Every structure is written in C-alpha cells, then in structure tokens.
Amino acid sequence: MNVFEAVKQSVTVREAAEMYGIEVKRNGMACCPFHDDKNPSMKLNEEYFYCFGCGATGDVIDFAARLYNLSPKEAAEKLAQDFGLAYDSQAPPRRRYVRQKTEAQKFKEDREHSWRVLADYYHLLQKWETDYSPKTPEENPHPRFMEAVQRKDYVGYLLDFFLEDSLEEQKLWIAEHQSEIADLERRVKFMADKPTNRERLQEITAGIEQGIKELFESEKYMRYLSVMSKFHRYSVNNTMLIYMQRPDATLVAGFNKWKNQF
C-alpha cells in the first residue's frame, strides 16, 4: 500500500481538519480556512470537502496540500506522519510544515495585533495620568504624566478608528505604521511593569531635592541660623552648650576674641 492509499483509507477530511485546528460543527460545517469566512460555509464529510463560499473542494490530501501549500505527495506524507500511518516505502524525514495564510487572514491578525498594542498603551497612559498627577500646582509634572496628557486622546481616536472606519483604510494605516506599532509594543512591554533605572534615579533625585527644599525653608532651619549667627567659629557642641547656659546672649566669643575686641 502506497502513501496515498494509506492516507485515503485511514483519514477522513473531518479528522484532518480537526487535527489542524479547524472547528467542525456537528452538522459537518466549518469556517473555510481558504478565505475570510465569518460564518461556516465549508461542508466536510468522510471523503470530500466543499466550500459554498469560495468553491474550494477535494479529498483529504487536497485539503492538507492547500492548507499548507504542499504538493500532493508532500501532503500525503505529512498526513501519514501526523496520524502515524505505515505504508510501503521508506518513511519520509520529519520536517516542519508551515500553514500558509490567506491575505485576509494576515490582515485580520495584523488588525488584531495593532488594536491590542494601542489598547495596552491607552490603558498604560490612563494609569500614568492618575499615578503621576501633580499633587500641587507648583510641582513640576512627571514626564509620564505629560506623555499621558499629550497622547491619550489621540490613541483613543485610533481605537475608535479601528471600530468605525473601513477595512481598506485600516489596512492602509497598518501598512504605513508597522514600524511605529512594533516600537510602541516594545515600549509598552518595557514600561508596564516597572520604571527604568534612569526614571528611578530621577524619582529619587526629585524626592531628595524636595526634601532639601522643605528642610531649608522650614522654621527650624530659620531658628538654627538665628542662633548660629551669634557665635564665632565655635564647634556645634560648644555653641549649643553656651546657648543653653545663656540663651539671651547677643554675641558669644572665645577669650582671645573677646580680649582683642574689648
């Protein structure tokens, strides 16, 4: 028995379709993989398949050959390999088969991918707008907050574009912005979980600067300057000791300073 006979006697078209990821309804109908089929239009039985939409038809070997863009012999060998069938010839070497996609299927995947990237970016911008919103009018806005304010509305517009505009316009937009979508996807993956080292350093620096600003504008620091202005090059310990003993002093100096001045 050759490979063609072994396959045709052992594998039905429906079994092959289900093996290769196509959902077949109980009535034998399935969405045709050979065109952009939204409603099941392909009929499968034990020996043949026929699509009422695009007219594709044939037996189980024809089905696999068209699905993976193979010759009839290559398709029969693939089916025998995948279903573990023996036949009267040397077993073919194992090889990796790649299912060929129609233009409609490629566009559908590109459209869904672009939508997902834009939606992820939009949700990230929403989060940044909330998390990095300035707490006071005087606070310098965080770069992520500025990015959210500047880009969120436009990304929302693009999401509406994918829902409302024609497929031809969407296909043209995707073709013109493939590199931008790829760059945006990498950035979303990189930024979604945690900030970069540079951003962490900026946040730490901003916190230190704010703390220093608050410290040197505080009332305690003003009192410290007022006290220290009364003393002449004394150590902090000696200065505080003298001040505790004579808090009403207006000028404190060491003996040599006092002797030279008075």
Side-chain angles (χ1 to χ4, degrees):
M1 183 184 299
N2 62 37
V3 64
F4 294 96
E5 294 171 341
V7 169
K8 289 183 179 181
Q9 291 184 15
S10 304
V11 183
T12 68
V13 178
R14 177 169 183 156
E15 289 173 339
E18 292 176 335
M19 164 68 79
Y20 299 137
I22 297 172
E23 181 183 1
V24 183
K25 306 295 183 182
R26 294 182 61 182
N27 59 0
M29 299 297 294
C31 287
C32 178
F34 307 128
H35 74 282
D36 189 17
D37 194 9
K38 294 183 174 57
N39 298 307
S41 61
M42 175 179 282
K43 179 70 175 180
L44 303 96
N45 57 28
E46 292 188 357
E47 297 182 0
Y48 296 99
F49 68 93
Y50 178 76
C51 178
F52 296 94
C54 67
T57 187
D59 60 17
V60 64
I61 296 176
D62 296 323
F63 184 85
R66 185 159 185 168
L67 191 63
Y68 289 94
N69 194 28
L70 304 173
S71 69
K73 183 179 180 182
E74 290 174 327
E77 290 174 344
K78 172 174 174 54
L79 286 163
Q81 176 180 298
D82 292 342
F83 283 88
L85 305 179
Y87 52 93
D88 296 334
S89 67
Q90 185 177 3
R94 294 191 64 84
R95 52 179 292 189
R96 184 174 182 268
Y97 297 91
V98 179
R99 175 174 168 178
Q100 300 299 309
K101 300 175 182 177
T102 65
E103 287 298 320
Q105 290 171 328
K106 291 179 181 178
F107 167 64
K108 182 180 179 182
E109 291 184 359
D110 290 342
R111 181 177 181 274
E112 292 175 350
H113 175 256
S114 299
W115 164 270
R116 184 174 64 254
V117 172
L118 290 171
D120 290 345
Y121 185 47
Y122 183 79
H123 293 148
L124 188 61
L125 292 177
Q126 284 184 313
K127 184 175 186 300
W128 286 355
E129 186 177 21
T130 301
D131 293 350
Y132 295 95
S133 176
K135 303 300 185 293
T136 64
E138 295 78 16
E139 180 181 344
N140 291 328
H142 192 281
R144 290 187 177 183
F145 175 78
M146 295 301 299
E147 182 176 347
V149 171
Q150 294 169 357
R151 298 188 179 184
K152 191 183 72 171
D153 288 345
Y154 178 62
V155 177
Y157 159 77
L158 291 177
L159 291 173
D160 290 338
F161 165 77
F162 275 94
L163 293 176
E164 299 175 358
D165 286 58
S166 69
L167 296 181
E168 287 301 320
E169 290 178 319
Q170 294 174 15
K171 183 182 296 185
L172 180 62
W173 188 90
I174 292 172
E176 293 176 348
H177 295 82
Q178 285 185 348
S179 61
E180 290 89 340
I181 289 294
D183 292 340
L184 187 58
E185 182 179 24
R186 286 191 292 269
R187 185 164 188 271
V188 169
K189 289 181 179 179
F190 188 73
M191 300 290 285
D193 296 331
K194 54 186 178 181
T196 64
N197 289 335
R198 181 178 180 181
E199 287 183 320
R200 283 197 293 268
L201 179 59
Q202 289 176 339
E203 292 177 1
I204 293 172
T205 303
I208 293 174
E209 290 177 349
Q210 183 63 27
I212 292 174
K213 181 180 179 182
E214 293 175 356
L215 172 63
F216 286 95
E217 291 180 353
S218 66
E219 183 180 350
K220 288 184 179 180
Y221 184 65
M222 299 302 177
R223 290 202 302 267
Y224 167 79
L225 292 178
S226 176
V227 170
M228 295 302 293
S229 66
K230 302 177 182 180
F231 303 95
H232 296 268
R233 298 179 184 176
Y234 266 42
S235 69
V236 173
N237 288 339
N238 286 339
T239 298
M240 298 310 297
L241 179 61
I242 295 171
Y243 180 70
M244 290 171 63
Q245 294 175 348
R246 293 293 301 274
D248 57 334
T250 58
L251 179 63
V252 178
F255 175 77
N256 290 332
K257 181 71 176 178
W258 177 85
K259 180 179 179 181
N260 294 335
Q261 190 167 356
F262 301 101

